[in-house]
Amino acid sequence: MIRGAAASGARRGRAIARSITAAALLLLGAACEGGEPLLKDEPQEPGPFPEAYRPVANIVSSRWSNEEARDRLNEAGTVMARAAIEPGMTVADIGAGEGYYTMRLAQKVGKEGRVLAQDVMPAVRDALAERVARGRLDNVSVKLGAPSDPKLPEASFDRIFMVHMYHEIEEPYEFLWRMRPALHPNGQVVVVDADRSTANHGTPPTLLRCEFAAVGYQLVTMTPMPSAGGYFATFRAVGPRPEPAAIRPCGMNQSQQPARPKADNGIAGQHEMVDQPYP
C-alpha cells in the first residue's frame, strides 16, 4: 500500500509539472507572436521640452527680504487672503527658502490642513526642516525638489505658491508641465513676482501669462501688489496637459535670439538677497 501510494503521488507530480511546462510554453509563444510581453519596459521620460529664450536669474541668497520688513507690510497676510487660504487646505510652498510663507501657511491652514515646503538646495531644505521641527509644526513636510521638477504628489494641492522664485526657473515649460498633475481639480497656482525683466530678478506679467498658457494654464486673476514687490497672480489648469513637443515657447524664436544667458555673474543655486521689498 505504501509503495502504491508513493507511485500514485509521483504520477500526480509529473502531471502537474507537465501542465506548468505547457502553460509556460503557451505564454512564451504568445509573446513571440506579438502578444503582451511578459516583462514590460519602464515608461520613457517625456520630452524634449522647449527652451525658454530669456535670461534666468541667478540665486544668491535664500531670502528675498527680511521677515520683519515683510510683516510690517503684511505681505503674507495679504497674499494668503487674496489666495483664499482657509483652514483644512493643502498647500505647496515652492522655493520655500527660509520658510517665510511656510510658517505662516502652517498657521493659516491649521491642524486639519497640510503644507509641503520645497526647495532645490539641500542645505536650505535641511535648515528649513530644522526650523519646522523647532516650531513643532506637525502639519508641515519639507521636501527636496529638482530645478526642472518640483516633485509634488499628484492631485494633492488646493494651492501651489511660487513667491519671488519664478524668474529663477531655468526650464519653465518642463517645470510647469510636471507641476500640473499636483493640483486638485479646482486648485490654483499662486505667483508673486516683481514686474521687471527676468535678468533683474522679476518676471514681466506678459511673459508670465504666455509661459503658463503654453502649458495649459489659464489666468484667473492678476493684480498689482507693491507690498510684495510687484504683482499677485493666480492660474488654474484647463484642458488636457499638452505633449511636450506641442508646447510653443514664448518670445523670439531661436534664429532671432542668441542662446539664453544667465543673469548677473552671481553663483547659481541660491535666491537673490534684497533688503527691502520693491515699491
Side-chain angles (χ1 to χ4, degrees):
M1 293 292 294
I2 294 175
R3 287 196 299 272
S8 177
R11 285 193 297 271
R12 286 196 298 271
R14 287 193 295 271
I16 292 171
R18 285 194 298 270
S19 298
I20 292 173
T21 301
L25 290 172
L26 285 172
L27 287 173
L28 181 60
C32 292
E33 293 171 5
E36 194 71 18
L38 299 180
L39 295 177
K40 297 182 180 180
D41 294 332
E42 292 296 323
Q44 294 182 347
E45 279 291 299
F49 292 87
E51 183 178 3
Y53 300 115
R54 42 98 164 162
V56 178
N58 288 314
I59 312 175
V60 291
S61 173
S62 60
R63 64 171 66 173
W64 173 70
S65 177
N66 68 74
E67 297 192 7
E68 293 77 13
R70 298 171 83 171
D71 278 344
R72 283 198 298 271
L73 297 171
N74 192 32
E75 179 192 327
T78 302
V79 169
M80 290 190 294
R82 290 187 179 184
I85 301 300
E86 299 177 352
M89 278 188 166
T90 304
V91 183
D93 184 13
I94 306 301
E98 295 180 345
Y100 174 72
Y101 274 90
T102 297
M103 308 302 285
R104 289 152 182 81
L105 283 167
Q107 295 177 350
K108 189 69 174 178
V109 301
K111 294 182 178 180
E112 301 302 318
R114 296 290 301 175
V115 176
L116 189 151
Q118 181 258 48
D119 205 277
V120 297
M121 300 174 59
V124 173
R125 183 272 315 269
D126 293 345
L128 179 54
E130 291 179 6
R131 183 179 184 183
V132 168
R134 289 195 306 270
R136 298 183 178 181
L137 299 178
D138 296 332
N139 62 344
V140 176
S141 300
V142 182
K143 181 180 180 67
L144 186 68
S148 60
D149 185 357
K151 297 185 179 295
L152 302 179
E154 292 190 10
S156 298
F157 299 100
D158 300 299
R159 300 288 186 273
I160 297 177
F161 272 44
M162 303 175 73
V163 180
H164 301 303
M165 57 77 63
Y166 185 79
H167 51 270
E168 297 163 0
I169 300 174
E170 294 189 26
E171 305 293 342
Y173 302 110
E174 181 175 359
F175 192 96
L176 294 175
W177 190 90
R178 294 184 183 278
M179 187 177 74
R180 265 190 61 146
L183 286 167
H184 282 155
N186 295 318
Q188 294 184 5
V189 182
V190 177
V191 179
V192 176
D193 213 342
D195 183 2
R196 54 178 181 266
S197 69
T198 54
N200 292 315
H201 299 274
T203 308
T206 301
L207 176 64
L208 183 78
R209 289 194 297 268
C210 182
E211 291 185 348
F212 268 79
V215 193
Y217 293 85
Q218 182 182 73
L219 179 68
V220 178
T221 183
M222 178 176 283
T223 57
M225 192 174 177
S227 63
Y231 57 83
F232 168 96
T234 57
F235 297 85
R236 64 186 182 93
V238 294
R241 185 170 60 163
E243 291 296 324
I247 297 172
R248 296 291 176 261
C250 303
M252 293 185 290
N253 61 41
Q254 193 168 6
S255 65
Q256 296 173 305
Q257 175 127 341
R260 121 187 112 163
K262 283 282 190 179
D264 308 325
N265 292 314
I267 301 172
Q270 303 175 6
H271 290 280
E272 179 197 17
M273 175 62 183
V274 181
D275 292 331
Q276 294 292 337
Y278 282 83

